[in-house]
Amino acid sequence: MFPLSNPSSSPESQIKKPKTPLDVRRKDSFRSPKAFLAAHYPSINQPRLCLFLSIFFIQILLLLALRSIPRSFHHRLHHFPAPVNAHHHLTPTLTTTTASISASTVKVETTCEFGEIFVYDLPSALNHELVNNCDELNPWSSSCAALSNDGFGPVASGISSVVPENLAAAWYWTDQFVTEVLFHNRILNHKCTTKDPNNATAFYIPFYVGLAVGKFLWLKNSSAKERDFHCEMMLKWVQDQPYFTRNDGWDHFLTMGRISWDFRRSKDEDWGSSCIHKLGMRNVTRLLIERNPWDYFDVGVPYPTGFHPRSDKDVVEWQDFVRNRKRKSLFCFAGAKRSKIKDDFRGLLWNHCRNESDSCRVVDCAGSKCSNGTSIILETFLDSVFCLQPRGDSFTRRSIFDCMIAGSIPVLFWKRTAYDQYEWFLPAEPESYSVFIDRNEVKNGTASIRKVLERYSEDEIRRMRERVIEYIPKFLYARPDEGLETIKDAFDVAIDGVLRRFKEQEQPGYRW
Ligand SMILES: *[C@@H]1O[C@H](CO)[C@@H](O)[C@H](O)[C@H]1NC(C)=O
Ligand SMILES: *[C@@H]1O[C@H](CO)[C@@H](O)[C@H](O)[C@H]1NC(C)=O
Ligand SMILES: *[C@@H]1O[C@H](CO)[C@@H](O)[C@H](O)[C@H]1NC(C)=O
Ligand SMILES: *[C@@H]1O[C@H](CO)[C@@H](O)[C@H](O)[C@H]1NC(C)=O
Ligand SMILES: *[C@@H]1O[C@H](CO)[C@@H](O)[C@H](O)[C@H]1NC(C)=O
Ligand SMILES: *[C@@H]1O[C@H](CO)[C@@H](O)[C@H](O)[C@H]1NC(C)=O
């Protein structure tokens, strides 16, 4: 059993949120660590600032030297426990049907105020041919099913017992690495595309780099050359285009369907492709499911989940469904232990959840138990008030979005799992929709996850869940090629963000 976490510290004083938008911080982090720190830690005192600054500079140097290694920057960690109220109920109050779509997620008919996008017609070896050869994309099995239905994958029939009947057809068995295909199909149908490159403020490169490199990541004998082949081919092609040099690549963007670290190899013998490190990529904006938080040009976009609504109505119905769901467990954990890793945090949470079986529901995903069409994960998230989200093999996991789409409140242990990743898609105040618990307190037994979560009142839980539900549209990739009628989904939010960013970059002196 776990003792109570440090009861003398006031929760209010632990709640701090960055005041500056992440973009500015990123930009400053390239130019002036001091400005970054001043913005981020306004209360820090002078001698500590100096010490901190020198440490920061050393970090920057290390970072530049070892850019291929995911590095963790040890912020002071805060958690956001609820103010004192001790009781909570697991049964939400039923609410009447109301559309809870925030103003920002609703499309407003405009005339593309941030400009138009030109989509390159790349050699098909860089996109369509890869999909056509779906049998050869991974060393063990065919990817053809995963890439079927325009990249959404097979319809998830196994899930129909868990979701409302008329929404079952909107659920797919979607692979997590398909954003390159999803974005390409959608962007060709976007209302702000132009056929005239002279009129474009943004250029999209529909290159399926993640699909191209996928199999080489796992083949022990693959050469650095093989892993860079498609990327080099793309760069050569794109750099020959007159519009690339016009703005040194600053107005170009692409989707990379895997995590950033798969494209940041520094030495030939290391992991991954070196695509992001190639010279021509320097100024190109990249949409990734996991970004490097220290690279301005990396933008985090949501992992694709299984729900792909056909209409606004699907979205609103789903929001109502998860809002009114009776949740039987306080929290849950779906994942696999990594027994080979010593002190694996996931194993710890797994055991913790097992030990608290009255309030925690555990789903064992060892092997491929959770990827065979089962509805058990979705059902578990639908039945739980909170879901535990440790880092996965990298900092992010698709499960965060699976959890939130089910209206469950995420409990995070690393800032880089969500807060430093999906700025355009998540509320700016972490404590408004999630719980952060210091992982070291869990490790050394000073924090009991159950007790931290039990401190949230019914009212606070309802408010947080409502926030999660309000943001659900931004985590979805809608099924129609034109998107939804009025609701903006993850794709719309990403494209708006890129266009707004490119507009901002046009300011004099912005580019570096
Ligand atoms: C490009 O812009 C020009 C002038 O703004 C306009 O006349 C032309 O129709 C535009 N071309 C396209 C394809 O939109
Ligand atoms: C690498 O190994 C695979 C299977 O083990 C084999 O088919 C392939 O020919 C090898 N490639 C090279 C370049 O040796
Ligand atoms: C990136 O942009 C900077 C500033 O505009 C420019 O000096 C540089 O040449 C660009 N790099 C590449 C590889 O295009
Ligand atoms: C779970 O319970 C077992 C047996 O009571 C105990 O040995 C173990 O330390 C507990 N683990 C966690 C993570 O709470
Ligand atoms: C998937 O695996 C689980 C656990 O092994 C099993 O209970 C379930 O029936 C399987 N589902 C399908 C659709 O094969
Ligand atoms: C447990 O870890 C927390 C966070 O690192 C630390 O503040 C606390 O002193 C530790 N407690 C014990 C008993 O080791």
Side-chain angles (χ1 to χ4, degrees), residues 244 248 250 279-280 282-283 511-512:
F244 187 82
D248 293 326
W250 278 83
L279 185 61
R282 163 63 168 76
N283 304 326
R511 294 173 183 164
W512 67 91

Side-chain angles (χ1 to χ4, degrees), residues 51 155 182 205 228 230 254 360 366 399 406 409 420 448 479:
L51 176 65
V155 172
L182 303 188
I205 310 168
D228 293 348
H230 290 88
L254 81 171
C360 188
S399 182
I409 300 163
D420 292 346
S448 154
R479 183 65 175 93

